[in-house]
Amino acid sequence: MSNIKITAAITAVGGYVPEDKLTNFDLEKMVDTNDEWIRTRTGISERRILKGEGMATSDMVVPAVRQLCEKRGISPEEIDCLIVGTVTPDMVFPSTANVACDKLGAKNAWGFDVSAACSGFLYSLTQGAALIESGRYKKVVVCGADKMSAIVDYTDRATCIIFGDGAAAVLLEPNEDGTGIQDSILKSDGSGCQFLHMKAGGSKKPASIETVMAREHFAYQEGQAVFKFAVKGMADVSAELLERNGLTGDDIAWLVPHQANLRIIDATANRMGLPKEKVMINIQKYGNTTAATIPLCLWEWESQLKKGDNIVLAAFGGGFTWGATWLKWSY
Ligand code: UT7
């Protein structure tokens, strides 16, 4: 047996954002808000919205994964497993991964969804990496995808300004040159549920006329409380990850933070001692796409990444769930 350690390397990235834009000026016509407030409090100028009867999260997963396969020159039939981080699955069941595999023609893949809200991509990536490191799987696709417009209340100015739709995916393959996923710290605290959740539609409170009338099928968020936990949680876990690996801000080429609020991103970068030029930020264009924010950044910055770059991914979201992952870029 070889003693060479197998790491899970990202070998391709694909992404998809819907064409339709919802700008701050559009929102000004829908709720009592204004462009200046939204930009200064969140950093967001516009978001993408998936429109069309019956269009669902899997319809964003599919083009993202197709693009990834084309870039890598593989057929969807070569995918062993598809993991989709999402809180807006096409249906409660079956999983969006199942539906997407069928649409993709990924006939040899199994798959499942991971429900970890804004940390969905990091949770899924850690799981995908473990499948590769085990030696049992050669091609695992990890996707973060959310159609947040399906669960956003466009009469609630505190939440509707934040969220958007999108999907992006990475291909994980075994690698022996030392690059790839290096370490990951993931956390969860269910007591945070009270601040960010969807009240109805689950087994606790199934859908009824009353739940619909009470607008309980939308994302409910106590923004200020989440903000406080997010600033501390994302910065703390990123600092912990650097420390336990003997890294400092100087060693890091890129921080890829979850895009929830520019002020949370700034706090995390400051704590890690990173200048703004090393931080991927596209919140102004896409808003908070929940599980899709981090892979969408990798997708957009892909051409600027160099083999061996130390990259830290960091997220905080509903659950609460949060975490950080350190990887070395592989191509
Ligand atoms: O990704 C998952 C995790 N989620 C997050 O990380 C989100 C964390 N939270 C946030 O990003 C921020 O809390 C928000 C962007 C949601 C809100 O920003 P804030 O600075 O915390 O605002 P606030 O809720 O403290 O509200 C301040 C004021 C209030 O008015 P009064 O009571 O001071 O008169 C709000 O009613 O701003 C008002 N307000 C608005 N005004 C104009 C709230 N929403 C809006 C709005 N436009 N859209």
Side-chain angles (χ1 to χ4, degrees):
M1 259 191 51
S2 143
N3 286 326
I4 297 169
K5 189 171 176 263
I6 297 174
T7 50
I10 294 177
T11 55
V13 188
Y16 176 82
V17 286
E19 278 188 8
D20 279 297
K21 291 177 183 170
L22 180 67
T23 68
N24 291 352
F25 300 104
D26 296 328
L27 285 164
E28 283 182 1
K29 295 178 201 135
M30 295 159 68
V31 289
D32 181 14
T33 190
N34 59 79
D35 172 60
E36 212 253 326
W37 191 96
I38 302 172
R39 275 190 294 104
T40 51
R41 295 290 180 118
T42 69
I44 304 167
S45 294
E46 58 187 39
R47 334 94 195 103
R48 301 300 180 95
I49 304 294
L50 183 67
K51 291 193 176 159
E53 186 74 28
M55 293 298 277
T57 297
S58 68
D59 296 304
M60 299 188 291
V61 172
V62 168
V65 177
R66 268 208 192 110
Q67 187 185 65
L68 167 159
C69 289
E70 276 161 24
K71 280 188 183 171
R72 184 69 181 137
I74 63 165
S75 140
E77 292 188 14
E78 291 176 61
I79 299 171
D80 296 317
C81 180
L82 171 66
I83 308 176
V84 179
T86 187
V87 285
T88 51
D90 290 23
M91 299 181 222
V92 172
F93 76 93
S95 75
T96 302
N98 270 74
V99 176
C101 281
D102 179 50
K103 290 182 180 175
L104 281 161
K107 292 192 195 116
N108 300 306
W110 60 291
F112 56 95
D113 293 355
V114 169
S115 174
C118 301
S119 308
F121 182 74
L122 289 195
Y123 273 44
S124 303
L125 187 67
T126 302
Q127 181 65 62
L131 293 179
I132 295 286
E133 287 158 10
S134 76
R136 286 186 61 182
Y137 299 97
K138 304 289 178 226
K139 286 185 172 52
V140 175
V141 174
V142 176
C143 187
D146 272 298
K147 183 190 171 189
M148 293 305 292
S149 61
I151 59 163
V152 163
D153 182 351
Y154 287 99
T155 67
D156 174 14
R157 69 175 183 175
T159 53
C160 74
I161 55 138
I162 304 170
F163 295 104
D165 303 339
V170 300
L171 176 64
L172 294 178
E173 296 186 77
N175 180 57
E176 293 184 353
D177 72 5
T179 64
I181 314 291
Q182 305 292 313
D183 193 17
S184 182
I185 301 176
L186 299 176
K187 310 213 181 209
S188 82
D189 177 0
S191 69
C193 170
Q194 59 185 304
F195 303 116
L196 183 49
H197 58 262
M198 191 156 100
K199 294 192 186 300
S203 57
K204 184 177 176 178
K205 206 176 198 189
S208 67
I209 288 170
E210 288 73 28
T211 62
V212 172
M213 297 305 285
R215 308 186 77 76
E216 290 179 341
H217 295 273
F218 294 119
Y220 168 87
Q221 175 171 257
E222 291 179 28
Q224 261 189 23
V226 177
F227 185 90
K228 266 188 238 158
F229 282 103
V231 165
K232 187 167 171 4
M234 211 157 103
D236 280 357
V237 76
S238 304
E240 185 184 341
L241 184 74
L242 290 192
E243 205 177 309
R244 97 168 176 193
N245 288 288
L247 298 165
T248 70
D250 290 341
D251 302 310
I252 304 303
W254 294 100
L255 169 65
V256 192
H258 169 52
Q259 315 277 309
N261 188 314
L262 197 52
R263 292 179 288 150
I264 301 173
I265 295 173
D266 288 344
T268 304
N270 286 341
R271 180 75 178 283
M272 293 170 71
L274 290 178
K276 238 189 169 144
E277 306 80 69
K278 289 185 171 186
V279 186
M280 295 187 195
I281 297 170
N282 59 14
I283 191 171
Q284 69 283 1
K285 291 194 289 184
Y286 305 136
N288 181 349
T289 54
T290 303
T293 61
I294 289 174
L296 276 175
C297 282
L298 293 174
W299 176 58
E300 286 212 325
W301 267 263
E302 186 189 17
S303 63
Q304 294 183 52
L305 305 179
K306 292 193 268 317
K307 185 166 181 171
D309 275 355
N310 285 309
I311 301 179
V312 171
L313 320 177
F316 187 95
F320 293 135
T321 57
W322 69 108
T325 296
W326 165 39
L327 60 91
K328 282 182 181 290
W329 198 247
S330 300
Y331 60 98

